[in-house]
mmCIF file of all heavy atoms in Angstrom:
data_model
loop_
_atom_site.group_PDB
_atom_site.id
_atom_site.type_symbol
_atom_site.label_atom_id
_atom_site.label_comp_id
_atom_site.label_asym_id
_atom_site.label_seq_id
_atom_site.Cartn_x
_atom_site.Cartn_y
_atom_site.Cartn_z
ATOM 1 N N GLY A 1 -204.322 121.397 -79.383
ATOM 2 C CA GLY A 1 -204.574 121.851 -80.788
ATOM 3 C C GLY A 1 -203.625 122.742 -81.421
ATOM 4 O O GLY A 1 -203.236 122.689 -82.592
ATOM 5 N N GLN A 2 -202.949 123.643 -80.491
ATOM 6 C CA GLN A 2 -201.902 124.513 -80.925
ATOM 7 C C GLN A 2 -200.715 123.682 -81.347
ATOM 8 O O GLN A 2 -200.092 123.927 -82.376
ATOM 9 C CB GLN A 2 -201.497 125.491 -79.811
ATOM 10 C CG GLN A 2 -202.606 126.588 -79.509
ATOM 11 C CD GLN A 2 -202.145 127.407 -78.254
ATOM 12 O OE1 GLN A 2 -201.984 126.816 -77.219
ATOM 13 N NE2 GLN A 2 -201.896 128.628 -78.507
ATOM 14 N N ILE A 3 -200.420 122.617 -80.623
ATOM 15 C CA ILE A 3 -199.172 121.806 -80.907
ATOM 16 C C ILE A 3 -199.413 121.111 -82.201
ATOM 17 O O ILE A 3 -198.505 121.005 -83.077
ATOM 18 C CB ILE A 3 -198.850 120.836 -79.763
ATOM 19 C CG1 ILE A 3 -198.518 121.605 -78.552
ATOM 20 C CG2 ILE A 3 -197.820 119.853 -80.235
ATOM 21 C CD1 ILE A 3 -198.352 120.751 -77.231
ATOM 22 N N ARG A 4 -200.653 120.619 -82.399
ATOM 23 C CA ARG A 4 -200.942 119.814 -83.677
ATOM 24 C C ARG A 4 -200.933 120.784 -84.871
ATOM 25 O O ARG A 4 -200.439 120.522 -85.969
ATOM 26 C CB ARG A 4 -202.384 119.289 -83.535
ATOM 27 C CG ARG A 4 -202.830 118.588 -84.888
ATOM 28 C CD ARG A 4 -201.893 117.568 -85.322
ATOM 29 N NE ARG A 4 -202.133 117.137 -86.767
ATOM 30 C CZ ARG A 4 -201.286 116.670 -87.546
ATOM 31 N NH1 ARG A 4 -200.015 116.624 -87.276
ATOM 32 N NH2 ARG A 4 -201.693 116.312 -88.811
ATOM 33 N N ALA A 5 -201.385 122.083 -84.711
ATOM 34 C CA ALA A 5 -201.465 123.047 -85.725
ATOM 35 C C ALA A 5 -199.999 123.365 -86.236
ATOM 36 O O ALA A 5 -199.796 123.646 -87.312
ATOM 37 C CB ALA A 5 -202.164 124.350 -85.220
ATOM 38 N N GLY A 6 -198.978 123.183 -85.286
ATOM 39 C CA GLY A 6 -197.649 123.338 -85.580
ATOM 40 C C GLY A 6 -196.961 122.260 -86.482
ATOM 41 O O GLY A 6 -195.829 122.408 -86.798
ATOM 42 N N GLY A 7 -197.746 121.172 -86.685
ATOM 43 C CA GLY A 7 -197.250 120.086 -87.503
ATOM 44 C C GLY A 7 -196.939 118.836 -86.733
ATOM 45 O O GLY A 7 -196.406 117.865 -87.229
ATOM 46 N N THR A 8 -197.091 118.805 -85.388
ATOM 47 C CA THR A 8 -196.717 117.633 -84.586
ATOM 48 C C THR A 8 -197.861 116.555 -84.652
ATOM 49 O O THR A 8 -199.058 116.885 -84.476
ATOM 50 C CB THR A 8 -196.461 118.036 -83.091
ATOM 51 O OG1 THR A 8 -195.411 118.810 -83.055
ATOM 52 C CG2 THR A 8 -196.266 116.844 -82.232
ATOM 53 N N LYS A 9 -197.522 115.343 -84.849
ATOM 54 C CA LYS A 9 -198.519 114.265 -84.841
ATOM 55 C C LYS A 9 -198.954 113.907 -83.433
ATOM 56 O O LYS A 9 -198.104 113.942 -82.506
ATOM 57 C CB LYS A 9 -197.951 112.935 -85.455
ATOM 58 C CG LYS A 9 -198.661 111.733 -85.106
ATOM 59 C CD LYS A 9 -199.838 111.534 -85.986
ATOM 60 C CE LYS A 9 -200.558 110.209 -85.824
ATOM 61 N NZ LYS A 9 -201.567 109.936 -86.656
ATOM 62 N N ILE A 10 -200.163 113.943 -83.115
ATOM 63 C CA ILE A 10 -200.666 113.674 -81.739
ATOM 64 C C ILE A 10 -201.201 112.224 -81.634
ATOM 65 O O ILE A 10 -201.969 111.771 -82.490
ATOM 66 C CB ILE A 10 -201.826 114.588 -81.376
ATOM 67 C CG1 ILE A 10 -201.304 115.987 -81.466
ATOM 68 C CG2 ILE A 10 -202.432 114.293 -80.070
ATOM 69 C CD1 ILE A 10 -200.274 116.393 -80.464
ATOM 70 N N VAL A 11 -200.664 111.388 -80.703
ATOM 71 C CA VAL A 11 -201.151 110.154 -80.387
ATOM 72 C C VAL A 11 -201.476 110.107 -78.937
ATOM 73 O O VAL A 11 -200.741 110.435 -78.063
ATOM 74 C CB VAL A 11 -200.159 109.021 -80.756
ATOM 75 C CG1 VAL A 11 -200.715 107.663 -80.242
ATOM 76 C CG2 VAL A 11 -199.751 109.033 -82.000
ATOM 77 N N MET A 12 -202.810 109.917 -78.436
ATOM 78 C CA MET A 12 -203.343 110.149 -77.079
ATOM 79 C C MET A 12 -204.216 109.158 -76.682
ATOM 80 O O MET A 12 -205.001 108.499 -77.401
ATOM 81 C CB MET A 12 -204.096 111.547 -77.141
ATOM 82 C CG MET A 12 -204.699 112.029 -75.942
ATOM 83 S SD MET A 12 -205.419 113.669 -76.175
ATOM 84 C CE MET A 12 -206.578 113.662 -74.790
ATOM 85 N N THR A 13 -204.128 108.746 -75.388
ATOM 86 C CA THR A 13 -205.132 107.976 -74.733
ATOM 87 C C THR A 13 -206.108 108.845 -73.874
ATOM 88 O O THR A 13 -205.602 109.926 -73.431
ATOM 89 C CB THR A 13 -204.368 106.918 -73.810
ATOM 90 O OG1 THR A 13 -203.838 107.573 -72.671
ATOM 91 C CG2 THR A 13 -203.456 106.095 -74.483
ATOM 92 N N THR A 14 -207.345 108.512 -73.756
ATOM 93 C CA THR A 14 -208.089 109.107 -72.983
ATOM 94 C C THR A 14 -209.376 108.117 -72.511
ATOM 95 O O THR A 14 -209.572 107.176 -73.202
ATOM 96 C CB THR A 14 -208.836 110.326 -73.641
ATOM 97 O OG1 THR A 14 -209.740 110.992 -72.771
ATOM 98 C CG2 THR A 14 -209.664 109.889 -74.924
ATOM 99 N N HIS A 15 -209.950 108.395 -71.334
ATOM 100 C CA HIS A 15 -211.090 107.599 -70.933
ATOM 101 C C HIS A 15 -212.383 108.428 -71.267
ATOM 102 O O HIS A 15 -213.498 107.994 -70.897
ATOM 103 C CB HIS A 15 -210.927 107.318 -69.384
ATOM 104 C CG HIS A 15 -211.069 108.538 -68.508
ATOM 105 N ND1 HIS A 15 -210.013 109.420 -68.345
ATOM 106 C CD2 HIS A 15 -212.079 109.082 -67.902
ATOM 107 C CE1 HIS A 15 -210.483 110.447 -67.610
ATOM 108 N NE2 HIS A 15 -211.676 110.291 -67.368
ATOM 109 N N ASN A 16 -212.227 109.556 -71.727
ATOM 110 C CA ASN A 16 -213.364 110.483 -72.029
ATOM 111 C C ASN A 16 -213.796 110.405 -73.541
ATOM 112 O O ASN A 16 -213.227 110.882 -74.421
ATOM 113 C CB ASN A 16 -212.950 111.957 -71.660
ATOM 114 C CG ASN A 16 -214.086 112.910 -71.678
ATOM 115 O OD1 ASN A 16 -214.874 112.900 -72.655
ATOM 116 N ND2 ASN A 16 -214.102 113.910 -70.727
ATOM 117 N N LEU A 17 -215.012 109.795 -73.741
ATOM 118 C CA LEU A 17 -215.477 109.700 -75.000
ATOM 119 C C LEU A 17 -215.706 111.057 -75.812
ATOM 120 O O LEU A 17 -215.511 111.177 -76.984
ATOM 121 C CB LEU A 17 -216.649 108.760 -75.095
ATOM 122 C CG LEU A 17 -216.422 107.321 -74.800
ATOM 123 C CD1 LEU A 17 -217.874 106.456 -74.998
ATOM 124 C CD2 LEU A 17 -215.321 106.729 -75.445
ATOM 125 N N GLY A 18 -216.337 111.952 -75.032
ATOM 126 C CA GLY A 18 -216.485 113.290 -75.507
ATOM 127 C C GLY A 18 -215.209 113.939 -75.944
ATOM 128 O O GLY A 18 -215.171 114.485 -77.029
ATOM 129 N N GLN A 19 -214.247 113.829 -75.181
ATOM 130 C CA GLN A 19 -212.896 114.336 -75.547
ATOM 131 C C GLN A 19 -212.301 113.615 -76.781
ATOM 132 O O GLN A 19 -211.749 114.161 -77.716
ATOM 133 C CB GLN A 19 -211.791 114.141 -74.348
ATOM 134 C CG GLN A 19 -210.589 114.798 -74.713
ATOM 135 C CD GLN A 19 -209.593 114.715 -73.471
ATOM 136 O OE1 GLN A 19 -209.239 113.560 -73.013
ATOM 137 N NE2 GLN A 19 -209.330 115.765 -72.852
ATOM 138 N N ALA A 20 -212.609 112.259 -76.837
ATOM 139 C CA ALA A 20 -212.055 111.458 -78.102
ATOM 140 C C ALA A 20 -212.750 112.033 -79.305
ATOM 141 O O ALA A 20 -212.119 112.209 -80.363
ATOM 142 C CB ALA A 20 -212.458 110.132 -77.917
ATOM 143 N N LYS A 21 -213.974 112.420 -79.207
ATOM 144 C CA LYS A 21 -214.835 112.932 -80.256
ATOM 145 C C LYS A 21 -214.320 114.399 -80.707
ATOM 146 O O LYS A 21 -214.111 114.799 -81.852
ATOM 147 C CB LYS A 21 -216.250 112.969 -80.095
ATOM 148 C CG LYS A 21 -216.991 111.639 -79.995
ATOM 149 C CD LYS A 21 -218.369 111.870 -79.617
ATOM 150 C CE LYS A 21 -219.015 110.504 -79.353
ATOM 151 N NZ LYS A 21 -220.476 110.741 -79.042
ATOM 152 N N ARG A 22 -213.909 115.193 -79.621
ATOM 153 C CA ARG A 22 -213.505 116.556 -79.991
ATOM 154 C C ARG A 22 -212.221 116.651 -80.515
ATOM 155 O O ARG A 22 -211.770 117.394 -81.488
ATOM 156 C CB ARG A 22 -213.401 117.359 -78.687
ATOM 157 C CG ARG A 22 -214.843 117.745 -78.036
ATOM 158 C CD ARG A 22 -214.702 118.709 -76.981
ATOM 159 N NE ARG A 22 -213.830 118.292 -75.802
ATOM 160 C CZ ARG A 22 -214.415 117.585 -74.809
ATOM 161 N NH1 ARG A 22 -215.618 117.288 -74.802
ATOM 162 N NH2 ARG A 22 -213.582 117.202 -73.788
ATOM 163 N N LEU A 23 -211.116 115.788 -79.969
ATOM 164 C CA LEU A 23 -209.778 115.757 -80.442
ATOM 165 C C LEU A 23 -209.371 114.852 -81.522
ATOM 166 O O LEU A 23 -208.349 115.025 -82.053
ATOM 167 C CB LEU A 23 -208.919 115.678 -79.218
ATOM 168 C CG LEU A 23 -209.124 116.726 -78.045
ATOM 169 C CD1 LEU A 23 -208.016 116.384 -77.052
ATOM 170 C CD2 LEU A 23 -208.948 118.189 -78.635
ATOM 171 N N GLY A 24 -210.140 113.714 -81.542
ATOM 172 C CA GLY A 24 -209.674 112.632 -82.442
ATOM 173 C C GLY A 24 -210.073 112.759 -83.884
ATOM 174 O O GLY A 24 -211.151 113.295 -84.147
ATOM 175 N N GLU A 25 -209.193 112.153 -84.790
ATOM 176 C CA GLU A 25 -209.610 112.038 -86.163
ATOM 177 C C GLU A 25 -209.721 110.564 -86.529
ATOM 178 O O GLU A 25 -210.357 110.185 -87.455
ATOM 179 C CB GLU A 25 -208.625 112.793 -87.043
ATOM 180 C CG GLU A 25 -208.743 114.301 -86.842
ATOM 181 C CD GLU A 25 -207.700 114.992 -87.603
ATOM 182 O OE1 GLU A 25 -206.567 114.823 -87.275
ATOM 183 O OE2 GLU A 25 -208.005 115.819 -88.384
ATOM 184 N N GLU A 26 -208.898 109.785 -85.746
ATOM 185 C CA GLU A 26 -209.060 108.327 -85.965
ATOM 186 C C GLU A 26 -208.877 107.643 -84.535
ATOM 187 O O GLU A 26 -208.354 108.176 -83.566
ATOM 188 C CB GLU A 26 -207.939 107.714 -86.874
ATOM 189 C CG GLU A 26 -206.540 107.820 -86.325
ATOM 190 C CD GLU A 26 -205.513 106.929 -87.111
ATOM 191 O OE1 GLU A 26 -205.883 106.269 -88.135
ATOM 192 O OE2 GLU A 26 -204.320 106.929 -86.731
ATOM 193 N N ILE A 27 -209.504 106.512 -84.410
ATOM 194 C CA ILE A 27 -209.617 105.745 -83.131
ATOM 195 C C ILE A 27 -208.856 104.396 -83.370
ATOM 196 O O ILE A 27 -209.111 103.708 -84.289
ATOM 197 C CB ILE A 27 -210.996 105.529 -82.668
ATOM 198 C CG1 ILE A 27 -211.867 106.767 -82.533
ATOM 199 C CG2 ILE A 27 -210.950 104.548 -81.406
ATOM 200 C CD1 ILE A 27 -211.372 107.640 -81.375
ATOM 201 N N LEU A 28 -207.902 104.202 -82.456
ATOM 202 C CA LEU A 28 -207.488 102.864 -82.310
ATOM 203 C C LEU A 28 -208.118 102.236 -81.003
ATOM 204 O O LEU A 28 -208.083 102.722 -79.917
ATOM 205 C CB LEU A 28 -205.954 102.709 -82.049
ATOM 206 C CG LEU A 28 -204.992 103.530 -83.008
ATOM 207 C CD1 LEU A 28 -203.543 103.395 -82.648
ATOM 208 C CD2 LEU A 28 -205.274 102.933 -84.392
ATOM 209 N N PHE A 29 -208.850 101.142 -81.270
ATOM 210 C CA PHE A 29 -209.497 100.374 -80.243
ATOM 211 C C PHE A 29 -208.813 99.136 -79.723
ATOM 212 O O PHE A 29 -208.696 98.230 -80.546
ATOM 213 C CB PHE A 29 -211.042 100.137 -80.539
ATOM 214 C CG PHE A 29 -211.828 99.490 -79.390
ATOM 215 C CD1 PHE A 29 -212.224 100.221 -78.310
ATOM 216 C CD2 PHE A 29 -212.133 98.123 -79.499
ATOM 217 C CE1 PHE A 29 -212.923 99.620 -77.337
ATOM 218 C CE2 PHE A 29 -212.838 97.522 -78.438
ATOM 219 C CZ PHE A 29 -213.235 98.195 -77.472
ATOM 220 N N LEU A 30 -208.359 99.234 -78.459
ATOM 221 C CA LEU A 30 -207.897 97.923 -77.865
ATOM 222 C C LEU A 30 -208.784 97.216 -76.968
ATOM 223 O O LEU A 30 -209.508 97.807 -76.233
ATOM 224 C CB LEU A 30 -206.541 98.472 -77.108
ATOM 225 C CG LEU A 30 -205.268 99.038 -77.686
ATOM 226 C CD1 LEU A 30 -204.235 99.270 -76.684
ATOM 227 C CD2 LEU A 30 -204.776 98.037 -78.824
ATOM 228 N N TYR A 31 -208.528 95.981 -76.985
ATOM 229 C CA TYR A 31 -209.332 95.103 -76.110
ATOM 230 C C TYR A 31 -208.487 93.785 -75.824
ATOM 231 O O TYR A 31 -208.014 93.140 -76.649
ATOM 232 C CB TYR A 31 -210.686 94.693 -76.780
ATOM 233 C CG TYR A 31 -211.546 93.789 -75.840
ATOM 234 C CD1 TYR A 31 -212.177 94.298 -74.815
ATOM 235 C CD2 TYR A 31 -211.686 92.462 -76.103
ATOM 236 C CE1 TYR A 31 -212.964 93.614 -73.991
ATOM 237 C CE2 TYR A 31 -212.434 91.599 -75.248
ATOM 238 C CZ TYR A 31 -213.079 92.231 -74.177
ATOM 239 O OH TYR A 31 -213.921 91.417 -73.384
ATOM 240 N N GLN A 32 -208.278 93.732 -74.464
ATOM 241 C CA GLN A 32 -207.431 92.591 -73.906
ATOM 242 C C GLN A 32 -206.087 92.552 -74.723
ATOM 243 O O GLN A 32 -205.597 91.465 -75.121
ATOM 244 C CB GLN A 32 -208.152 91.245 -74.076
ATOM 245 C CG GLN A 32 -209.380 91.170 -73.108
ATOM 246 C CD GLN A 32 -210.063 89.908 -73.214
ATOM 247 O OE1 GLN A 32 -209.834 89.013 -74.067
ATOM 248 N NE2 GLN A 32 -211.003 89.680 -72.299
ATOM 249 N N GLY A 33 -205.476 93.701 -74.993
ATOM 250 C CA GLY A 33 -204.193 93.739 -75.529
ATOM 251 C C GLY A 33 -204.189 93.591 -77.034
ATOM 252 O O GLY A 33 -203.080 93.790 -77.634
ATOM 253 N N ARG A 34 -205.307 93.493 -77.737
ATOM 254 C CA ARG A 34 -205.360 93.313 -79.135
ATOM 255 C C ARG A 34 -205.999 94.448 -79.749
ATOM 256 O O ARG A 34 -206.915 95.178 -79.272
ATOM 257 C CB ARG A 34 -206.242 92.100 -79.482
ATOM 258 C CG ARG A 34 -205.590 90.675 -79.124
ATOM 259 C CD ARG A 34 -206.574 89.629 -79.415
ATOM 260 N NE ARG A 34 -207.730 89.616 -78.551
ATOM 261 C CZ ARG A 34 -208.974 89.667 -79.002
ATOM 262 N NH1 ARG A 34 -209.242 89.705 -80.251
ATOM 263 N NH2 ARG A 34 -209.903 89.675 -78.125
ATOM 264 N N LEU A 35 -205.435 94.910 -80.892
ATOM 265 C CA LEU A 35 -205.911 96.048 -81.643
ATOM 266 C C LEU A 35 -207.100 95.588 -82.525
ATOM 267 O O LEU A 35 -206.893 94.886 -83.561
ATOM 268 C CB LEU A 35 -204.805 96.613 -82.519
ATOM 269 C CG LEU A 35 -205.347 97.810 -83.391
ATOM 270 C CD1 LEU A 35 -205.797 98.966 -82.610
ATOM 271 C CD2 LEU A 35 -204.060 98.342 -84.362
ATOM 272 N N LEU A 36 -208.337 95.832 -82.095
ATOM 273 C CA LEU A 36 -209.488 95.229 -82.779
ATOM 274 C C LEU A 36 -210.047 96.222 -83.993
ATOM 275 O O LEU A 36 -210.541 95.852 -84.915
ATOM 276 C CB LEU A 36 -210.744 95.123 -81.841
ATOM 277 C CG LEU A 36 -210.481 93.990 -80.746
ATOM 278 C CD1 LEU A 36 -211.906 93.855 -80.044
ATOM 279 C CD2 LEU A 36 -209.984 92.713 -81.380
ATOM 280 N N GLU A 37 -209.772 97.586 -83.742
ATOM 281 C CA GLU A 37 -210.296 98.510 -84.894
ATOM 282 C C GLU A 37 -209.295 99.624 -84.984
ATOM 283 O O GLU A 37 -208.637 100.118 -83.992
ATOM 284 C CB GLU A 37 -211.636 99.051 -84.371
ATOM 285 C CG GLU A 37 -212.733 98.000 -84.318
ATOM 286 C CD GLU A 37 -214.137 98.665 -84.302
ATOM 287 O OE1 GLU A 37 -214.278 99.583 -85.051
ATOM 288 O OE2 GLU A 37 -214.940 98.224 -83.594
ATOM 289 N N ARG A 38 -209.175 100.136 -86.232
ATOM 290 C CA ARG A 38 -208.547 101.397 -86.481
ATOM 291 C C ARG A 38 -209.473 102.179 -87.484
ATOM 292 O O ARG A 38 -209.506 101.691 -88.691
ATOM 293 C CB ARG A 38 -207.136 101.313 -87.089
ATOM 294 C CG ARG A 38 -206.459 102.479 -87.340
ATOM 295 C CD ARG A 38 -205.024 102.267 -87.719
ATOM 296 N NE ARG A 38 -204.233 103.660 -87.679
ATOM 297 C CZ ARG A 38 -202.865 103.730 -87.950
ATOM 298 N NH1 ARG A 38 -202.139 102.617 -88.044
ATOM 299 N NH2 ARG A 38 -202.337 104.966 -87.734
ATOM 300 N N THR A 39 -210.178 103.073 -87.111
ATOM 301 C CA THR A 39 -211.386 103.615 -87.722
ATOM 302 C C THR A 39 -211.410 105.151 -87.626
ATOM 303 O O THR A 39 -211.089 105.676 -86.530
ATOM 304 C CB THR A 39 -212.648 103.020 -87.207
ATOM 305 O OG1 THR A 39 -212.472 101.552 -86.911
ATOM 306 C CG2 THR A 39 -213.796 103.309 -88.140
ATOM 307 N N PRO A 40 -211.871 105.913 -88.695
ATOM 308 C CA PRO A 40 -212.194 107.244 -88.486
ATOM 309 C C PRO A 40 -213.081 107.517 -87.284
ATOM 310 O O PRO A 40 -213.971 106.656 -87.142
ATOM 311 C CB PRO A 40 -212.777 107.698 -89.874
ATOM 312 C CG PRO A 40 -212.198 106.780 -90.809
ATOM 313 C CD PRO A 40 -212.031 105.413 -90.091
ATOM 314 N N VAL A 41 -212.909 108.606 -86.592
ATOM 315 C CA VAL A 41 -213.580 108.741 -85.390
ATOM 316 C C VAL A 41 -215.134 108.760 -85.534
ATOM 317 O O VAL A 41 -215.837 108.086 -84.825
ATOM 318 C CB VAL A 41 -213.189 110.134 -84.605
ATOM 319 C CG1 VAL A 41 -213.462 111.355 -85.374
ATOM 320 C CG2 VAL A 41 -213.831 110.158 -83.276
ATOM 321 N N ASP A 42 -215.617 109.397 -86.571
ATOM 322 C CA ASP A 42 -217.084 109.365 -86.907
ATOM 323 C C ASP A 42 -217.648 108.084 -87.069
ATOM 324 O O ASP A 42 -218.703 107.678 -86.541
ATOM 325 C CB ASP A 42 -217.535 110.354 -87.956
ATOM 326 C CG ASP A 42 -217.254 111.859 -87.596
ATOM 327 O OD1 ASP A 42 -216.983 112.172 -86.431
ATOM 328 O OD2 ASP A 42 -217.124 112.584 -88.586
#
């Protein structure tokens, strides 16, 4: 959060859905190598 507040763009993978909700603003959803969704996190 501190790094982002300084103006750095964050791109992150996680296996934790709670963390994705806490830290994410948009979701890229991959399935079998294909990008199926790019959507606001909520």
Side-chain angles (χ1 to χ4, degrees):
Q2 291 175 293
I3 295 172
R4 174 56 191 152
T8 296
K9 166 76 175 186
I10 301 296
V11 181
M12 174 176 165
T13 67
T14 181
H15 66 279
N16 184 321
L17 294 189
Q19 185 175 69
K21 293 176 182 178
R22 288 192 300 274
L23 299 186
E25 293 172 299
E26 70 168 356
I27 300 295
L28 303 184
F29 180 71
L30 288 182
Y31 182 72
Q32 295 182 349
R34 293 177 290 123
L35 180 60
L36 294 191
E37 295 193 38
R38 183 173 193 171
T39 315
V41 62
D42 292 342

